Amino acid sequence: MSAQSRLEAGDYEGALEEILAEHGDSLYGFLVVHLGDPVDAEEVMAIVTERVWAGLPQFEGRASLRTWLFVIARNAALSYVGRAHHRRERSL
């Protein structure tokens, strides 16, 4: 069963499993490239997974699922970098 059909059926847990199976490696690779560190990418991937899980009930399909996932990943990476930069400035 596809992620989209699971979403339509209200099976959010199954949809998340399908999404991660289909897009997880691409999302992680995207984060490694943009963050430059696999450890940071793993942390942000956990944040992305949480945000996707929380957002699945509200996903309306106005964009493709893949586009929606990568927007979440981009925003999570930008927030993570911003917080890391802020922490470095405060510690100096």
Side-chain angles (χ1 to χ4, degrees), residues 37-74:
D37 181 2
V39 174
D40 288 343
E42 287 179 25
E43 287 186 41
V44 176
M45 188 66 188
I47 294 166
V48 169
T49 301
E50 291 172 8
R51 289 182 183 179
V52 169
W53 172 251
L56 283 175
Q58 291 81 35
F59 179 70
E60 298 176 352
R62 289 185 283 161
S64 73
L65 187 58
R66 182 175 172 82
T67 298
W68 181 69
L69 295 169
F70 278 86
V71 168
I72 291 171
R74 182 199 65 208

Side-chain angles (χ1 to χ4, degrees), residues 3 6 13 36 41 43 54-55 60-61 75 86:
R6 289 184 186 272
E13 185 175 338
E43 287 186 41
E60 298 176 352
N75 291 342
H86 180 70

